[in-house]
Amino acid sequence: MWKIEKPLENRDGLLFMGGISCTELAEKYGTPLYATDETRIRENYGRMVSAFSKHYKKFRLYYAIKANNNLAILNILRQEGSGADCSCPAELFLAKKAGFKTDDLLYTGNYNSDGEFKYACEMSVKINLDDWTYIDRLVKFASPPNIPPVICFRFNPGVGKSDFGLVFSGPDAKFGITADKIVEAYRKAKEHGFKRFGIHMMTGSCVRDPAYFEQVAGMLFDIAGRISEGLGISFDFVNIGGGFGVPYKLGENDLDIEETGKRVATKFKEKIEEKNMGEPYLFIEPGRFIVCDSTILLTRVHAIKKTAEKKFVGVDAGMNTLLRPALYNAYHQMFVANKLSEIRTETVNVVGPICENTDQLAKDRELPIIEEGDVIAILNAGAYGFSMSSQYNTRPRAAEVLVNNGKSEVIRERESFGDLISKVRVPERLLK
Ligand code: LLP
């Protein structure tokens, strides 16, 4: 059976979110429209923090801005007490705009330019380096031991896991420092005069297995223990990264976050006691888990085509609006917002208006009989949805609204045609 779960509700066959009818949202703001439920973000943050911090007090969550960088959402997370994980200078800029304190920011780039290092040093944020050689470039802009206040390195434990092939660790990954080089990295940082250290890892995205987090975090804790012992340094924090998965398909299990928090925190406590590592902070930096199920993408059916083999349902969201199906063959559940009580009797391809055949949001999907004007809600659109959208095929980007207790507010205006050319310049001579 198709389950309507938080933050969604079925009210007499109509889809509601945060106390508002989704068809009304589509009517009021137009489509395609990203609609986010504020309460759900706060709940997700709360259950994650509680799962870990009840087993280890010195715990902090740094929200990974790349998943969804809307300033309103960043403000919600700042209010909740989150830190921010920033992957580039613009994300540091956004986090400051959203009111995060410098101390609550972590900068994790990869293959950084000198300009990026300079920006992060000028901001005096904690910096996480993706290779041991980078420290020699970083020190041109740093003033050890205070800027950056903490130096961290990213560990590649040699294994990774993901639901979508999004593996960021192992021999084929471009990220991190392998076990044979990581001690050297900290030795070098020490020689440069740094005194406060962190260690980081991010092995894959969308994992729904607590045992995996325990296993891979254990590898990070082991290496941290070895470094600490070998070089006589203590860690301010140990960061196990993000990667906490959510179910996209019907029947997929939720990640048991309680179990994950318990297993990881318990392993952490054992290791720091065994190796006399003091009391470092335990960090996580989730993106998807916090925002994914808070948001739906509403899109209207405009054109329907039947061929001998298929029925194509043409909607106004395409791969420009939600790239994940085209890029990763990702599955996103769909509900027809005005036909929740109707039985799914048709098998259709839901396609966008972009001139590519990869522009198919769902293939061979069972849905109720669809007519022009229907509104389809695409679920789990909050993580890597808007943030990976583009203006491809000269399409202005979608609007975003925030829904909270029966009220809705625009948090990003729909782009106009003017926005498409606001940075374009035509040399005078071509205007004649
Ligand atoms: N930290 C670092 C260093 C990362 O690279 C990422 C994600 C995260 C944290 C957050 O990971 P999460 O908790 O969201 O799994 N575009 C893909 C996801 C790519 C994730 C990239 N890095 C998607 O649409 O599924």
Side-chain angles (χ1 to χ4, degrees), residues 115-182:
E116 289 172 346
F117 281 147
K118 184 163 181 279
Y119 190 94
C121 283
E122 279 170 5
M123 235 188 200
S124 195
V125 292
K126 300 185 267 292
I127 298 183
N128 183 22
L129 296 177
D130 189 46
D131 192 36
W132 64 288
T133 56
Y134 294 2
I135 191 103
D136 292 332
R137 286 203 289 123
L138 180 82
V139 287
K140 288 190 272 176
F141 314 102
S143 0
N146 298 319
I147 298 174
V150 183
I151 277 286
C152 179
F153 290 97
R154 177 172 181 161
F155 174 51
N156 177 343
V159 294
K161 187 175 164 117
S162 162
D163 277 5
F164 304 109
L166 298 168
V167 172
F168 306 139
S169 181
D172 206 29
K174 68 167 188 163
F175 302 107
I177 309 171
T178 45
D180 54 325
K181 289 279 188 332
I182 192 114

Side-chain angles (χ1 to χ4, degrees), residues 64 66 85 108 154 166 168 200 202 205-206 242-244 285-288 324 328 384 388:
K66 60 176 81 66
D85 164 48
T108 294
R154 177 172 181 161
L166 298 168
F168 306 139
H200 169 264
M202 169 73 199
S205 190
C206 207
F244 305 91
E285 49 184 31
R288 190 184 318 268
R324 302 188 74 260
Y328 307 123
Y384 311 104
M388 286 171 73

Side-chain angles (χ1 to χ4, degrees), residues 164 246 299 390 393:
F164 304 109
V246 299
T299 182
S390 75
N393 262 211

Side-chain angles (χ1 to χ4, degrees), residues 186-227:
Y186 287 92
R187 193 190 314 279
K188 244 176 183 296
K190 235 181 122 174
E191 279 165 17
H192 279 297
F194 289 104
K195 295 202 163 27
R196 290 176 59 197
F197 303 97
I199 188 163
H200 169 264
M201 174 187 77
M202 169 73 199
T203 61
S205 190
C206 207
V207 182
R208 290 174 294 113
D209 174 13
Y212 173 75
F213 286 101
E214 181 184 13
Q215 179 221 338
V216 78
M219 295 171 82
L220 180 70
F221 303 156
D222 281 345
I223 204 87
R226 278 226 295 273
I227 295 164

